[in-house]
Amino acid sequence: MGCCSGRVRVVLGTSGLSSLERQKPPWLDLWTMDRDLSDEDSVVDLSFEADTPLAPPAELLDRLPSYDCLFQGGGRQIFFPPLETPGRPEEPRCWSSFLEQRAPVVTEEVAREALLNFVNSKCCYGSTAAGDLIIQELKQQTLCRYRLETFSESRISEWTFQPFTKHSVDGPQRGTSPRLWDIKVQVPPMFQEDIRKFQVPHSSLVKECHKCHGRGRYKCSGCHGAGMVRCPSCCGAKRRAKQPRRCQMCSGCGRRRCSTCSGRGNKTCATCKGEKKLLHFIQLVIMWKNSLFEFVSEHRLNCPGELLAKAKGENLFKDENTVVYPLVDFPLREISLASQRGLAQHSAALASRARVLQQRQTIELIPLTEVHYWYQGKTNVYYIYGTDHSVYVADYPERYCWGCTII
C-alpha cells in the first residue's frame, strides 16, 4: 500500500495563484513564448511548489473520538501497552552440573592446524611459516558469555493517505475505531524483527486533494504551462552566436519541447495520481524488535573483545520464557551482575513504550588459547578462540601484501 505523508508549505492566495507567481519576472513572457498564461485551462499553477507528495493540514480532517490525541503531537502518537501481571520468581537453580562442562583442550597439533586453515583462507599469506614455526607455550582460558534477548512489540498510529479510487470507504459511520492494542494481528516468529502497517478500521475519510485542489493535474514547473522552453543552445535567438546558420538543436525556431512534461504543459498530480481525491485514514504501525544485551567475562589475554563477542561457543545454560529472572546465584559473580544489569536495562527501556512478548537468556563457554611461537629468531603470539577454532594473528611473519584484513 503506497501511502504518503508530509506537510503543506504553500497556501494559495485569494486569486488562486501563489504569491511568487503574481510577482512574475518580465523575462518569463519570453520563456513561455506565445502561450497565454492567463488561461488557467482548469489547471492550478504550482510551479513554485515541491513535486513531492505533501500531507493534508490537520484542520481539514474530521476528528475521530478515539484518536483525538493524533492532533496533539504532530499527527503521530505512541500508544502505551496494557500492563502485564508479573509471573512468579523461579526456583533457585543448582549449578554444579553446569560447571562440570569444560571446553576441549587445545593441543599443539590442533593449534598448528587452526593456523594453517586460517593462512590458507588468505590469498597473500604463505603457509611455510605456519608449518615451520615452533610452538613454545599454550595458555588456555575458558570464558563465559552471557546474552539476554528481549522480543518486544510497540505500536504507533499516524495519519496517512492514498489516492481514492472510488472503492468503498470504511469510515466512522460504520462504527467506532478500536483502540490500537485491541487490534489482533499475527505475531511473527519469536526473536525475528519485523515492521507491519495496517489500516485502522472505521477511520477512513475522503477529501479533495490538497495539492492540486481536486483538478488532478497542475502546470509543469519546467515550462510554466507552455509546453515549450527556450532552446538551451541558442537561448531563443534561433541561431548560435557568431554563426550564420540556424541552430541545429531547435531547427531555427528558438524553442524546444519541454522534457519535463513531454510538451503537454501540465503534469499529473503526484499526490492523488490524477484521481482528484484522497482517502485519509489512521495507519497502525507495529514494530517487533529484538533487544540484545551481551557480556563476556573478564580474561587475562590480549585477544580483542569484539572477536569474543561474535565467537561460536558451547551452550552451557538457556532460559526462555515470557519473563526471565536474574541469575543471582551463578558461581561466577560477574555473570550474575551482568544478568541483573541486562534485565534492568531492558526493563527501563521498554516498560513504558512496548509490550514484552518473550525473553531468552543464555550462557555459553568460549574457549580461548594464546599460542606463543618462535620463528626465524623472533617470538610472537596468535590466538585461537571459539569452538570452531577461529584464529586472530596481529603480525603474521609471512605476508606478501599489506592490504588484507587479518581477522
Side-chain angles (χ1 to χ4, degrees):
M1 179 183 296
C3 302
C4 313
S5 61
R7 292 184 182 276
V8 171
R9 296 192 298 158
V10 178
V11 179
L12 297 182
T14 56
S15 63
L17 301 177
S18 65
S19 59
L20 287 177
E21 187 187 4
R22 292 199 301 271
Q23 300 173 5
K24 181 175 58 180
W27 49 262
L28 188 58
D29 291 329
L30 175 61
W31 202 9
T32 55
M33 295 299 175
D34 54 353
R35 178 66 176 256
D36 184 8
L37 290 180
S38 63
D39 181 11
E40 286 299 314
D41 292 336
S42 299
V43 182
V44 64
D45 188 351
L46 299 179
S47 302
F48 297 99
E49 292 196 52
D51 287 336
T52 53
L54 304 176
E59 61 267 21
L60 292 181
L61 302 175
D62 299 333
R63 291 172 175 261
L64 297 179
S66 302
Y67 291 84
D68 284 345
C69 55
L70 284 172
F71 298 95
Q72 300 172 5
R76 193 170 189 176
Q77 179 71 21
I78 298 176
F79 282 78
F80 298 147
L83 295 177
E84 300 286 347
T85 303
R88 296 183 303 172
E90 294 187 349
E91 299 293 331
R93 299 182 179 88
C94 178
W95 297 103
S96 57
S97 60
F98 293 109
L99 296 179
E100 293 175 359
Q101 301 185 39
R102 290 291 183 270
V105 176
V106 175
T107 63
E108 180 176 328
E109 181 182 357
V110 172
R112 190 181 302 275
E113 182 181 359
L115 181 61
L116 283 170
N117 291 336
F118 169 78
V119 168
N120 291 333
S121 68
K122 302 296 180 181
C123 63
C124 53
Y125 279 37
S127 59
T128 303
D132 294 345
L133 58 79
I134 299 175
I135 296 178
Q136 297 177 319
E137 184 181 6
L138 298 172
K139 293 184 178 180
Q140 301 187 44
Q141 185 177 356
T142 301
L143 312 177
C144 283
R145 179 175 62 200
Y146 172 81
R147 176 178 288 149
L148 171 67
E149 297 172 89
T150 300
F151 188 60
S152 62
E153 175 185 325
S154 60
R155 299 188 176 193
I156 63 173
S157 65
E158 58 188 10
W159 274 107
T160 188
F161 57 85
Q162 65 184 23
F164 177 59
T165 56
K166 299 180 176 59
H167 57 270
S168 60
V169 179
D170 183 17
Q173 69 278 5
R174 295 192 177 183
T176 303
S177 295
R179 297 184 180 276
L180 292 192
W181 284 100
D182 293 336
I183 299 176
K184 304 298 183 182
V185 299
Q186 182 67 37
V187 178
M190 292 297 169
F191 306 105
Q192 292 187 19
E193 294 187 339
D194 197 5
I195 298 178
R196 297 179 191 171
K197 299 180 180 180
F198 304 90
Q199 182 174 333
V200 174
H202 316 319
S203 68
S204 300
L205 300 167
V206 177
K207 294 289 184 180
E208 180 184 90
C209 178
H210 57 275
K211 179 70 183 292
C212 65
H213 301 280
R215 293 175 175 87
R217 57 198 180 106
Y218 51 83
K219 284 185 179 179
C220 172
S221 60
C223 63
H224 301 275
M228 304 290 288
V229 296
R230 187 169 49 176
C231 176
S233 179
C234 66
C235 299
K238 302 182 180 181
R239 50 174 51 89
R240 301 183 65 178
K242 298 181 181 180
Q243 291 187 4
R245 295 182 179 180
R246 65 181 183 179
C247 177
Q248 295 182 354
M249 182 174 288
C250 64
S251 300
C253 66
R255 298 177 295 174
R256 283 181 58 84
R257 187 174 65 174
C258 176
S259 59
T260 303
C261 65
S262 300
R264 291 188 298 268
N266 60 77
K267 296 179 64 178
T268 300
C269 178
T271 301
C272 68
K273 309 298 183 185
E275 299 293 342
K276 303 180 181 180
K277 292 184 179 181
L278 296 174
L279 178 70
H280 302 272
F281 56 91
I282 295 176
Q283 182 170 259
L284 167 63
V285 182
I286 304 181
M287 293 166 286
W288 290 278
K289 182 180 179 182
N290 191 38
S291 302
L292 180 64
F293 175 89
E294 285 186 325
F295 174 80
V296 179
S297 61
E298 185 178 0
H299 60 92
R300 300 179 299 273
L301 306 179
N302 293 324
C303 185
E306 60 270 17
L307 298 180
L308 300 177
K310 301 176 183 179
K312 291 185 178 181
E314 180 182 352
N315 187 58
L316 176 65
F317 168 78
K318 179 181 178 181
D319 177 23
E320 182 175 332
N321 212 325
T322 304
V323 177
V324 297
Y325 295 88
L327 307 177
V328 294
D329 53 349
F330 191 75
L332 196 59
R333 179 170 171 76
E334 57 181 331
I335 295 296
S336 296
L337 294 176
S339 174
Q340 299 174 43
R341 188 166 62 252
L343 286 166
Q345 289 182 9
H346 283 192
S347 177
L350 301 173
S352 63
R353 62 181 181 86
R355 171 190 284 172
V356 175
L357 302 180
Q358 195 83 346
Q359 287 187 307
R360 178 169 63 196
Q361 58 182 346
T362 59
I363 300 177
E364 295 173 285
L365 295 179
I366 309 295
L368 175 62
T369 303
E370 185 179 71
V371 183
H372 293 253
Y373 68 89
W374 181 91
Y375 182 72
Q376 293 185 350
K378 296 181 180 180
T379 58
N380 215 326
V381 298
Y382 67 90
Y383 296 90
I384 303 173
Y385 62 95
T387 55
D388 58 346
H389 294 162
S390 298
V391 171
Y392 169 76
V393 52
D395 189 17
Y396 185 68
E398 191 180 357
R399 191 170 59 177
Y400 302 126
C401 71
W402 302 98
C404 295
T405 303
I406 60 175
I407 59 175

